[in-house]
Amino acid sequence: MKLGTTELIVILAIVIIIFGPKQLPKLSKMIGKTVKGFKEGVKDETEDDE
């Protein structure tokens, strides 16, 4: 299932309505840290398996 440009714009608009434009930098920073931690956890788990 691919998301098109229209779907991404709708999702972004909903996020802006829910959190407000002032909260977006905090939200994006939090999501970035979460993704980074997840990637590190997957990498560590993969190294342990080898």
Side-chain angles (χ1 to χ4, degrees):
M1 181 173 116
K2 290 187 175 184
L3 291 177
T5 306
T6 308
E7 289 88 358
L8 291 175
I9 291 172
V10 170
I11 292 170
L12 181 60
I14 292 170
V15 169
I16 290 173
I17 290 170
I18 292 173
F19 293 105
K22 293 182 180 180
Q23 297 295 324
L24 286 181
K26 291 179 185 178
L27 184 64
S28 61
K29 187 175 182 180
M30 182 181 66
I31 291 171
K33 285 183 178 181
T34 303
V35 170
K36 182 179 178 182
F38 179 75
K39 286 182 180 180
E40 288 175 357
V42 169
K43 182 180 177 184
D44 289 343
E45 187 65 32
T46 305
E47 289 176 356
D48 289 345
D49 290 343
E50 293 175 357

